[in-house]
Amino acid sequence: MTQPVLSVRNLEVEFVTRRATLRAINGVSFDIARGEVLGVVGESGAGKSVTGLAVIGLIDPPGRISAGEIELSGTRIDHLPPEQIRRIRGKRIGMIFQDPLTSLNPLYRIGDQIVETIRTHTNLTETAARKRAIDLLAEVGIPAPEKRIDGYPHEFSGGMRQRVVIALAICAEPELIIADEPTTALDVSVQAQIIALIKRLGRDHGTAVMLVTHDMGVIAETCDRVAVMYSGRIAEIGPVQEVVRNPLHPYAKGLMGAIPTLAGEDKRLVQIPGSMPRLSAIPPGCPFNPRCAFVFDRCRVDRPEPIRQGTQAVACHLFDPVKETAA
Amino acid sequence: MLAFTLRRMLQAIGVMLAVGVIAFSMFRFAGDPVNQIVSIDTSAAERASIRQSLGLDDPVLVQFARYFIDAVQFKFGVSYQFRLPVSSLLMERLPATLELAICATLFAMVAGILMGVYSALRRDTVLAKLFQAVSLIGISLPTFLIGILLIYLFAVTLGWLPSFGRGEVVKLGWWTTGLLTVSGLKALIMPAITLGLFQMTLIMRLVRAEMLEVLRTDYIRFARARGLTTRAIHFGHALKNTLVPVITVAGLQFGSVIAFSIITETVFQWPGMGLLFVQAVQNVDIPIMAAYLLMVSLIFVTINLVVDILYTVVDPRLRSTVGRAS
Amino acid sequence: MSDAVVPHRNQDSAQGARVGAGWFRRALDSDIFYSFRRSKLTVVAAVITALFFLLAIFASWLAVQNPFDPAQLQLLNSRISPLWTADGQSPFLLGTDEQGRDVFSAILYGLRISLAVGLAGVVFAGALGIGLGLIAGYFGGAVDGVIMRIADVQLTFPAILIALLINGVAKSLLGNKLDETSTLGVLVIAIGLSFWVQYARTVRGSVMVEKNKDYVAAAQLIGLPAPKIMLRHVLPNTMGPILVIATINLALAIITEATLSFLGAGMPDTMPSLGTLIRIGNNYLFAGEWWIVAFPGIALAGLILSINLLGDWLRDALNPKLR
């Protein structure tokens, strides 16, 4: 088996506040292979974005990675000194944030921002970097790039700005792209274009992509595999067709029920009752137990570990062959 | 752009007109101008003829128009105490005040920006906390106390610097400058620091707050995600975005510096417009008070106008929206 | 079990509305007291501020003489240095000035004037500002335009300049009728007129925001008059910021009064405030009689510094963004 580009093992992220230490990520493990797109899905606050930020080393105090390992192509990167992780950011891992309107510095021309990034990570000269910047803009689908390169961010539309952001993320040919809700802030019509662009770039360059979103439609369309997160844990992970067609975890079942389909017109969309617990009030045992339709005693005391089910893995006691022992 | 500039200029003229009304009302209604000119034993007939000659019997609107036309030509009447034209008194003292204000502003900006950037980036160091303490003291100590303290230290105790006056000045046409002589420069140090200290603390706090704010923005987070060096992020991206509002405020504050020089000039007996104004208030010399108000307002309004226009040059976003509007 | 969680959301939003009304309860929330206890400097500042207020209130019991009463001043006792120096004389703890005025007593009485003028000025400015802000925000349109235009223009001018002008005009209008008591009034008016803008802006801002909220429309639908709704909801919401502005403005008002008096446009020598004392003392600095200016100066600086520290703390504590 080839080595995964990104390998996360038992990751824990904590935020230390005055009242308590909140665990935003609790024992998350997953791999992303070369050219693979992993979707990370879940409600707001499930820990999707924090996972992405942890990988790229941007968890700021009072947050910190308190346990676990992150490996990029076989090298551990979670405990590197700041200067070394900085050299990895932008060069080996590219990141795309949610809001293209605020991701670019309004006072700098977009060309200057791209050239600056290229020159930080390569030895290219100013002119060579500028030429590459024009090529990049062309690659992400910006018309007349040699003209637009001298524009300021406010002169671009939201979709175009997100393309510029993507160009910035890929300008040093990274092995991994983390896209944190890249389409949430965009018009529906533009969303599909941006998703297609990210997918194409991943395929063309063999880049691994971690796509964070709360949009199951985007996941189903784009990803090879999907991880469903709930309360800082992975509830279920597996190939996207399996998880969408045959979700195992009760929460994943609920999520999939929330995707509108043309075929299923006769069915009502399923709604999951209640809301995700706040970080300060995660119940013991399985965090989903207060909302789960299949809850039984063990769920309220015992935290479920991921259990392999074919190509999927699911953190739910329903799939434990020895259901009742620990309770 | 042109429409924007014109609109701003119209606003500025509106403000000046309003201030003009206030200045005129002070001039005309705060005390009887005749009483200031005549002595107690002047006969009623003489008073009446003086009234007549001053045009005080004309309708108020006519008087205001006359005052306004005179003011536009920098004619502000005659000072009650000096019996000299107010405009020549002010012009004679303008260079001293401007030199002091400019030096104080430069000092405030350089020191304030350096200290502000440092205390934003190294928030928890001893030096940053010291700067914070200094800034609190700078805001808390009244200007005149700082001046007195400096005089006691450097003039009375150490005898290094002169405690009053402008030192030797050189005449350049109608302008007088203290910047070309040693005694002039020495005399400038303490007043400039005293006057600039408050602005310095203001700028320092503003730079610190703005910088911290900017460092939290998405584009700084994205810049970090792109792997830019800390140096490039702090001094390229963050500082540039910080300085836009800071320079605006510093520019706008220049007017206040001139007004605040009233206090500094009094402490150091600096022969500028502020000292003249304080003496005018003490001696109820209304023509000088009214003229000073108009002068300072003019400076304020001009600065506001210039800063507004400059702002659009610095910030590309404004430039294009303004361009589109016009 | 899962059903029980659903209404929880609604409960949350209802709570939000309730907290908005109960600013006082929020002010007493543990976060505030936590930050108060945590900041030793703030506690010290609070104690010093309280001390200054007590000194001012009990000035007549603590002072060895009434410095405003010329009959009690004896030239024989002039220019005595502080008690602990070689030439010190009892009962003049901090020495005397050239009129034989006990510096300590003069500071106590001066403090009283400085605080009284400051407080009265802040109350006047606050009442004026809140009133104009409510009017501007509620009526909007031309009324709002005129009030806020004046505010804009005035805000560009330093308060001290405005106060000086008002003072000069008052002097000119009143002439010889201007005695100590009316000077106090003129100072309060000058300070009040110089500092109203901030209150007006804050109040107007919240009125504008609240005016368009659904609950106002809803309350109007069930027949509650709009002004009543505004007063019940808007004013409590702005109490926090107004308290911060008032605290910081108290320091500013005291500085302004002191500055006016120092410039000779405030309290006269016969009824000196701290600023007047500093102006008088400044004349004797070169003669080596430092105590006449130093102690009033220290008192003024300490007072303003403590109030500013309190104001700073209050601002940070009431600002949820900084927590």
Side-chain angles (χ1 to χ4, degrees), chain B residues 85-316:
Chain B
V86 172
S87 50
S88 64
L89 282 168
L90 279 174
M91 283 324 255
E92 191 184 298
R93 286 158 175 257
L94 183 69
T97 295
L98 277 186
E99 266 180 18
L100 177 61
I102 290 169
C103 291
T105 302
L106 287 179
F107 159 74
M109 284 183 71
V110 172
I113 290 174
L114 288 178
M115 287 162 77
V117 168
Y118 182 88
S119 46
L121 296 181
R122 301 260 177 278
R123 252 202 291 184
D124 296 318
T125 58
V126 178
L127 195 58
K129 291 198 168 123
L130 186 76
F131 286 164
Q132 283 292 97
V134 168
S135 90
L136 194 65
I137 292 171
I139 283 182
S140 295
L141 280 186
T143 313
F144 62 92
L145 268 188
I146 293 169
I148 292 173
L149 197 68
L150 287 179
I151 290 179
Y152 188 70
L153 274 180
F154 296 102
V156 178
T157 311
L158 296 169
W160 291 352
L161 296 168
S163 68
F164 67 92
R166 232 186 137 191
E168 247 176 278
V169 291
V170 177
K171 272 199 178 231
L172 302 170
W174 64 273
W175 189 275
T176 57
T177 180
L179 298 175
L180 298 174
T181 63
V182 177
S183 73
L185 287 172
K186 272 172 100 174
L188 186 62
I189 294 174
M190 287 201 294
I193 291 178
T194 306
L195 182 55
L197 206 64
F198 182 76
Q199 313 297 326
M200 184 197 84
T201 56
L202 204 71
I203 291 174
M204 186 201 128
R205 285 174 159 226
L206 185 67
V207 168
R208 179 176 178 278
E210 276 292 328
M211 191 97 175
L212 288 175
E213 190 76 23
V214 168
L215 286 176
R216 272 198 291 268
T217 57
D218 281 355
Y219 56 82
I220 293 297
R221 206 161 60 122
F222 186 52
R224 290 174 63 200
R226 284 187 277 147
L228 300 186
T229 58
T230 316
R231 200 191 158 81
I233 292 172
H234 286 167
F235 297 104
H237 290 263
L239 191 60
K240 186 166 176 181
N241 287 276
T242 301
L243 286 187
V244 173
V246 168
I247 287 176
T248 316
V249 171
L252 291 175
Q253 284 291 318
F254 185 71
S256 322
V257 172
I258 288 185
F260 271 114
S261 72
I262 295 169
I263 305 163
T264 309
E265 289 182 12
T266 308
V267 176
F268 290 95
Q269 293 297 300
W270 187 265
M273 297 194 303
L275 190 59
L276 185 71
F277 175 67
V278 166
Q279 287 162 351
V281 171
Q282 287 166 354
N283 300 321
V284 200
D285 195 342
I286 296 279
I288 290 186
M289 285 168 62
Y292 181 85
L293 175 66
L294 281 173
M295 284 282 281
V296 171
S297 309
L298 184 64
I299 294 172
F300 266 116
V301 166
T302 314
I303 291 169
N304 274 322
L305 193 64
V306 171
V307 167
D308 268 352
I309 293 168
L310 272 185
Y311 203 75
T312 61
V313 176
V314 181
D315 195 325

Side-chain angles (χ1 to χ4, degrees), chain A residues 27-247:
Chain A
V28 161
S29 305
F30 61 90
D31 290 335
I32 309 180
R34 215 179 112 77
E36 185 182 50
V37 181
L38 173 75
V40 180
V41 72
E43 290 168 61
S44 330
K48 305 169 311 232
S49 298
V50 177
T51 308
L53 289 173
V55 169
I56 201 166
L58 280 182
I59 301 281
D60 286 324
R64 64 191 172 99
I65 297 177
S66 48
E69 287 173 25
I70 301 168
E71 281 184 5
L72 183 66
S73 304
T75 332
R76 240 187 114 170
I77 57 166
D78 56 276
H79 62 298
L80 290 179
E83 180 56 22
Q84 283 184 36
I85 184 77
R86 176 190 68 75
R87 283 173 201 279
I88 291 175
R89 283 201 293 264
K91 185 170 172 63
R92 296 180 58 192
I93 309 177
M95 181 126 192
I96 302 163
F97 285 114
Q98 177 172 355
D99 190 352
L101 300 181
T102 56
S103 288
L104 298 167
N105 189 330
L107 299 189
Y108 284 77
R109 295 170 198 279
I110 58 148
D112 293 343
Q113 302 192 39
I114 301 175
V115 167
E116 181 186 30
T117 315
I118 294 173
R119 296 200 64 200
T120 304
H121 297 298
T122 65
N123 293 324
L124 293 184
T125 59
E126 183 83 35
T127 28
R130 189 179 157 87
K131 211 184 144 296
R132 174 152 170 72
I134 295 174
D135 294 344
L136 277 166
L137 290 177
E139 185 173 1
V140 296
I142 291 190
E146 58 289 331
K147 235 190 276 164
R148 302 306 303 271
I149 190 171
D150 290 320
Y152 285 95
H154 69 270
E155 294 164 358
F156 291 74
S157 68
M160 283 296 150
R161 271 194 240 188
Q162 195 63 305
R163 287 172 194 268
V164 173
V165 168
I166 292 170
L168 277 160
I170 61 165
C171 69
E173 299 259 327
E175 298 147 53
L176 170 70
I177 293 176
I178 300 172
D180 187 355
E181 309 249 4
T183 57
T184 309
L186 299 175
D187 288 346
V188 182
S189 56
V190 184
Q191 285 183 356
Q193 297 172 15
I194 295 294
I195 288 298
L197 173 65
I198 292 174
K199 203 174 173 180
R200 193 191 80 216
L201 290 170
R203 202 179 51 224
D204 291 357
H205 297 264
T207 318
V209 178
M210 176 176 163
L211 180 62
V212 175
T213 179
H214 59 253
D215 186 341
M216 275 312 298
V218 168
I219 295 275
E221 224 170 279
T222 326
C223 301
D224 302 307
R225 288 194 310 135
V226 60
V228 178
M229 286 193 74
Y230 189 83
S231 270
R233 295 168 202 194
I234 292 184
E236 179 168 353
I237 185 167
V240 76
Q241 296 89 342
E242 305 298 322
V243 177
V244 170
R245 220 172 292 149
N246 179 28

